[in-house]
Amino acid sequence: MVWYLVGGRRGAAVACAVLVSVAAAGCAQTVPGTPVAQVGSVEIAPPAVSRSDRQHDPAIPAELALPPERFPARYPAVSLPAHAVAQAGPDLTGVPAGARVDPPGCLPPEQDYGPAGTAMVVGTDEKSRATLTVEVVVGAAPLVELAAHLAECDAVQATHRGVTATVRTQREADPPAPVDGIGTLALARTVDSGSDDAQVTRRLQTRVAQSGDIRILVTYMVFDRAVSDPEGLGAVFRDAVTYALTE
């Protein structure tokens, strides 16, 4: 079970549980490998196609996301279905879909949360409710645009259905690039929501890498005063970027 806070509320609508069943009737198996055409005794392989060359294939986001079995044992993981990706996205930005924001120009950058644009895999520490989310975005704007948005919108008030959340975002030192020739950035975010007697604080740390229009984000999220796991975040970031861009 993966828990996501919905709209920053507590009480009547504190959280949405995304339960993904891994039992499925009838599974098709794909045989790995590259098709090879034969002419007589000479094998002619098709030209190698890099992942960046195939980045506009609608199936790419899910194909590039780190598989659940590659997550640390502490964070049993699941691949989110499309409808859950759309629900989870605003929890990572801190701004619910349809919210009114102040400053007015500080809505999160537009993103396609459908299967052609975004895939997510989420690992959860059941004891602390901490989550590690690997997010792969295809068709992303240049990383410099994200950096500019973060600089302009470091403090945002987001109001949705009468509830206001305060979202504060701070740039951190850019992490080392796990793969040569890519851009990276890091950010820390807090989301305070709810009333004084029932306030909830989410703390998020995100590492971002981008090659072309393929963006990989790895976010560690904890509630209130739970202890963070920078080692786990760093390890999953390195593995997720390496898997998406080179494997």
Side-chain angles (χ1 to χ4, degrees):
M1 182 170 290
V2 180
W3 291 93
Y4 279 110
L5 196 69
V6 175
R9 295 192 175 204
R10 188 154 185 157
V14 175
C16 171
V18 180
L19 181 60
V20 179
S21 172
V22 297
C27 295
Q29 185 173 9
T30 300
V31 178
T34 303
V36 175
Q38 280 193 303
V39 180
S41 60
V42 180
E43 293 186 349
I44 303 174
V49 179
S50 69
R51 286 183 167 175
S52 60
D53 291 335
R54 296 184 289 114
Q55 61 191 4
H56 297 295
D57 186 326
I60 282 292
E63 292 178 358
L64 299 186
L66 189 70
E69 60 269 20
R70 295 272 289 260
F71 275 61
R74 175 181 169 185
Y75 302 95
V78 293
S79 299
L80 296 188
H83 71 275
V85 170
Q87 294 170 2
D91 290 332
L92 301 178
T93 65
V95 179
R100 183 179 71 256
V101 298
D102 184 26
C106 284
L107 284 170
E110 291 187 7
Q111 180 173 332
D112 177 7
Y113 284 106
T118 304
M120 290 187 190
V121 183
V122 182
T124 306
D125 181 339
E126 297 293 349
K127 291 182 179 180
S128 66
R129 293 193 300 155
T131 60
L132 263 172
T133 301
V134 171
E135 178 180 4
V136 175
V137 181
V138 170
L143 199 57
V144 65
E145 294 186 17
L146 175 61
H149 174 82
L150 296 174
E152 295 171 2
C153 301
D154 57 341
V156 178
Q157 298 262 324
T159 302
H160 184 243
R161 296 180 180 175
V163 176
T164 298
T166 300
V167 183
R168 296 182 178 89
T169 305
Q170 181 178 356
R171 282 285 302 274
E172 297 185 321
D174 294 346
V179 175
D180 291 340
I182 65 173
T184 67
L185 65 78
L187 62 93
R189 175 173 287 150
T190 60
V191 183
D192 296 312
S193 58
S195 57
D196 293 338
D197 57 345
Q199 189 169 21
V200 175
T201 297
R202 278 176 283 163
R203 291 187 291 116
L204 304 94
Q205 290 179 288
T206 300
R207 303 290 178 262
V208 185
Q210 187 158 331
S211 176
D213 69 354
I214 297 176
R215 181 179 296 170
I216 302 100
L217 306 93
V218 180
T219 299
Y220 188 83
M221 181 173 71
V222 294
F223 291 89
D224 299 318
R225 298 184 180 275
V227 178
S228 62
D229 181 10
E231 292 80 11
L233 172 61
V236 173
F237 174 68
R238 291 187 295 271
D239 199 17
V241 174
T242 301
Y243 179 84
L245 300 180
T246 68
E247 293 187 19

